[in-house]
Each structure stands twice: as C-alpha cells, then as structure tokens.
Amino acid sequence: MSDEHDPQSKYVPTRRDLIKGVIAAGAVSSTGYLFRGSITRAFAAAPGSVERMLTLDVNGQQRRVDVMKQETLAMTLRYKLGLTGTKLGCDRAECGACSVLIDDVPHYSCSVLTHSTRGKKIQTVEGLASPDGTLHPVQQAVVEQQGFQCAFCMSGFLMATVGFLKTNPNPTRQELAHGISGNLCRCQDYDKILTSLMRGAELSREVNNA
Amino acid sequence: MAVFRDVMPAFELFQPTSASDAVTLLAEHGSDAWVMAGGQDSFDWLKDRIKRPKVVVDLSQVSGMSGVRDLDGGVEIGAMTTLTTLVGDPLIRERFPILSEAAGVVASPQIRNQGTIGGNISQDTRCWYYRGGMPCYRAGGNVCYADTPTAINREHAILGADRCVAVSPSDTAPALVALDAKIVIQGPSGERVVDAEDYFIGPGIDITRMHVLKPGELLVAIRIPATWAGTDYYFEKVRDRPVWDFPLVNIAAVKVVNGGTIERIRIVLNGVAAHPWRLAQVENAVTGKPADESTAAMAGEMSIEGAFPLRHNGYKVPLMRNLVKRAIRGVQEA
Ligand SMILES: Cc1cc2nc3c(=O)[nH]c(=O)nc-3n(C[C@H](O)[C@H](O)[C@H](O)COP(=O)(O)OP(=O)(O)OC[C@H]3O[C@@H](n4cnc5c(N)ncnc54)[C@H](O)[C@@H]3O)c2cc1C
Ligand code: SF4
Ligand code: FES
Ligand code: FES
C-alpha cells in the first residue's frame, strides 16, 4: 500500500487533501462536487440524484456521515467513522481483509459503493462483541486457539466466518474452508486458522442453543 | 499490479429506483455514463483510472430487476440477480443445474455475493495490457501488445482472433449460450431481445466491445427456454487456483442421450476466443452417434481445427480437445 501520488493523475487527492476537503465541505450537500454552475440544478431535478449526507446503519447505530459519490464502504468505515478494524489489503476484491457483513452477508467493503448500502445493515468486526465486552464465540475461539499470527487478515476472516455460519451453522471442515475461501492470509497458517474457526462454529452453536 | 491510491476520481452518481428511470438517465448521458451493477468488474477500471466516466448509474436501488421466476417451464432471471442467488435458487438447480454450477465457480464467495449475472456476461476482457491502460486496438490504438514475440499471452485466444487476441473471461456465458438463453435489453426506443449466442461479439464485429449493448442500453433480464430443462450436462472450469482465478478454458455442454445415442447436444467453450465459442459443426457431427470414446475422439479432433496458438498458450489446444472429449463421453469416476 502506498499513499504516493501517481504523477500522471493530477486530480487524485491525497488522503490528507481528502480529509481536509471533507472538513471544509462540512455538512453541505454537494451535488455540484463535480459539475458547478447551472448544470447542478438540472441534476438535482433528475431521477435518482444523490445527496452526500447519508445515514448508515453500522453495528446497530445510526451514523450520519458525509460520503463522496465515489467513496467505497471501506473508506467510509475507516476514515470517516474511525472503524479501523476493517483492513484494506488489496483494494481490488482479491484478499478479503476488508470483509464486512451487509444485511448479514459477507462483502468486500473495498468493492462496494457506500451509497449503495443505504437502508442496509452493516456489521464490522467492532460490532461482533456484546456491548458488555463479551466476545463473539468465533472471536473467543480464535483467542483460545491462537488462530492467527500477525492477524492483519483476522477481522476479514471473522466476518466471513460469522456470515457463512448464518447460512450453515454446522459445517464440515471442508465446507467451512470453501465458505471462507474468499480470504487470504499472508502468514499462511491456514490450517490453524481453520481449526480455530471450526471451534468458533462449535462455540457459536453452544451459545445459540443455550 | 494494482497501485493503492486512496479514492477513485470523482464522478456524478445516480441511483435510479426503476429500470425506466435508469434508461432515461443513460439516454441523457450517453457515452459519458457507466452502468454499475455489482461493480466487481467496474471498480478496477475506475480505481486504476483507465476509464473515467463522468456519470455512474448505480443499479443497486432499482427494484424489480433481481430474482428468478418461472417462464413456461423455463426461467426468467433479473439482470441484477447475484451469482450466489443462482447457485442456491431451487428453480435453477432443478431445471438448469449447469448454470448454478457455472455461477458457483466464479471468483470468490464475497464476489459472488455482490456480482450480478448481468455484470458477469457484460464484463470486459481481462487482457492485462488493455486493463493496464495500454493504447492497444481494443482501446482505440493500432497495435496488439499481447501478440508480439515477447508478449506474455498464456491466457489469450487460440481461435477467432482479429487483431485483438483477448478472450471472454465469463464463466456463466458459455452455459447461457448452451442453454439457448435470450438477453432482454431496454433502450430509449424500447425493448429488444437477442439470442445469447449473438449477444457476445468478437473483434471482427466491434473491437471495442465484448457484447452488443450500446451506450444508453440496459440489460434487464435473461430468459432461458424450457428446451434444455432437466437434461444431462457437463461443465468444467480449468484454472490455476480454485478461488478467484478466471477460467483458462471452461466448457458447458447440455445433451440428451438415449440408449447410449446422442439425440441432441450443445457444446460451448470460453477462454479460447473473444466470445463464447460454440461448436456447431461438432454438435452436428456427433448427433445420432453413440456417446462413446470414438465419437469423443472424433469430436475432440474436430473442435481444434483452425486453432492458432500464440507463443505461450499452446497448452489450450490439447486442453480444449480433452474437455470436448469429456463433455461427450463423460468422466469416469475415480
Ligand atoms: C478478483 C476477481 C476475480 C474474478 N473472477 C471471475 C471468475 O473467475 N469468473 C468470472 O466469470 N468472473 C470473474 N470476475 C469478474 C466479475 O467481477 C464477476 O464476474 C461479476 O459477475 C461481475 O458482475 P458485477 O455485477 O459486479 O459487474 P459490474 O462491474 O457492475 O458490471 C460489469 C460490466 O457490465 C456492465 N453492466 C452490468 N450490468 C449491466 C446491465 N444490467 N445493463 C447494462 N450494462 C451492465 C457494466 O457497465 C460493466 O461494464 C472476477 C472479478 C474479480 C475482481
Ligand atoms: S489482446 Fe486485445 S485487449 Fe489485449 S493488447 Fe491485444 S488488442 Fe489489446
Ligand atoms: S481490501 Fe478488499 S478484498 Fe482486499
Ligand atoms: S495472520 Fe498475518 S496475514 Fe493472516
């Protein structure tokens, strides 16, 4: 990952510009972000035009946030809402580090427009534990089994697993491996990860049946 | 290699709630507009700044464009139906399991949860020269970087090349062509329906597009007639890694075999040409023949006639031949 400017694309804001821009723009809705002047009015009247201020349902909270039209959910979560548990590994739908649940289904948040999640329920790794701090059973299992090494990939694996278990609470090892096959680990201890997540499935069943 | 560069360049975003509003917006913005369904092909183009549309029309809020329903013993599939839905849908599994199987081997679980069938059959090629922004034929230039003595072209075409040697990367496309699917398109002047076989086009017809959608047109649904409902089928995707990877070659065949004799058959491959490659001559030649080793061998040899490999993709020729053999005589269980 790098924050470097591409010399060819002069219009690309750096992360700092971006944050400054957001602060400067404040809560002003800006259909005219791209097109200024009279054309703005024409767009505002068009069907399907979009306001930048959104209310997102994240981890059960209603979060009001100013979202650029081209912003991905991973960017909004990490840099607008401070939910940095969601990681960006590739930003290209190729690693799974950014996995979150949207209406209980795992998605790569780097490859979803934030605006397309309006009205949907978003859950990130920060929303797994109970408000009293009790870990989610899958988290508990990972702690028990020391499932990860550097753990950069961990929140993505947790979300993919929690989402998969909603469709198949009692998977075989093979089925779970297939269910979380959209997540990569650079430290590559897949066997141990799978063992800990299988234990997570078991603990989840115990909690749900209790 | 993708470079991580903060956010995409700005575009104006529209989120219509009906297909007709989407068509109105597309008509208004013409070639300035980019349709976004699940975005799993689109984001690379936008993030890499290779394509810079002024306007994105996001279909995520459109109602009535997703789901599977019965249509006279066949099915109608909304263009916004996710690949995951196709994997699990009971009607598809019962009537056209080949499509469930094809959808189930696309990319990864998360991509299948987000990617749509409309996007899967409208996605652009994965030729990395082109996707890397090189000014090749397909991008409007006058050279093909993949067809030079030093080019890396292991994934490229062995058939049907015309200046461009890129291939169609879709896993579901060959299944839909085999099933005789119809593609329903809405545009400013109304609806038109094209055969799946004619939806996909090669560089000889238009080198800048992989399909017949014109700017301003919306793919709204896919209809599969009852013709091949519940018949035998064979689907196989050959790829380097079992997750994420596009097909090197895949094959989709549907067939009716009676008393060991092939009564009717459709065989379509992808990853060998710029569009799903239907083997109409082979289909004719094997109809009425026994579904055995010698018919398979004959079909395999016939299928590769005219194949013209590049420097690094010669392996696709025997691969294609052997997949065709398998499709005809099946694979012995180990
Ligand atoms: C890492 C990775 C691996 C992948 N592996 C595979 C694979 O193995 N096999 C495979 O087949 N694909 C693969 N894909 C490609 C692709 O992402 C998916 O196939 C997905 O189905 C695309 O659907 P989408 O809805 O997300 O597409 P989008 O990105 O939304 O759309 C793709 C294109 O189709 C156009 N389009 C979409 N819907 C419509 C419509 N209704 N009307 C008009 N135009 C439309 C868009 O304008 C765009 O040009 C992969 C992608 C990635 C990123
Ligand atoms: S194969 Fe086609 S897309 Fe690739 S470089 Fe050649 S002309 Fe361009
Ligand atoms: S950061 Fe989203 S898949 Fe890698
Ligand atoms: S534990 Fe290090 S990337 Fe997975």
Side-chain angles (χ1 to χ4, degrees), chain B residues 208-221:
Chain B
T208 63
R209 322 185 68 77
M210 309 287 286
H211 51 67
V212 297
L213 282 183
K214 295 199 272 287
E217 285 190 322
L218 193 67
L219 193 176
V220 286

Side-chain angles (χ1 to χ4, degrees), chain A residues 92-94 108 111, chain B residues 26 34-45 59 65 79-80 83 102 105-108 111-112 114-124 126 169-173 199 211 213 217-220 237 239 241 243-247 250:
Chain A
R92 287 296 186 285
E94 287 171 19
Y108 296 141
S111 298
Chain B
L26 292 174
W34 181 280
V35 178
M36 184 175 290
Q40 304 305 284
D41 184 35
S42 307
F43 281 116
D44 283 353
W45 288 114
L59 304 178
M65 251 177 84
M80 287 297 288
L83 297 168
V105 294
V106 170
S108 72
I111 291 177
R112 295 192 290 273
Q114 174 78 17
T116 67
I117 183 73
N120 192 265
I121 62 169
S122 310
Q123 60 176 312
D124 214 335
R126 287 274 154 177
S170 168
D171 279 310
T172 62
Y199 180 75
H211 51 67
L213 282 183
E217 285 190 322
L218 193 67
L219 193 176
V220 286
K237 170 181 184 176
R239 49 181 162 174
R241 295 181 298 178
V243 191
W244 272 296
D245 277 355
F246 287 89
N250 63 17

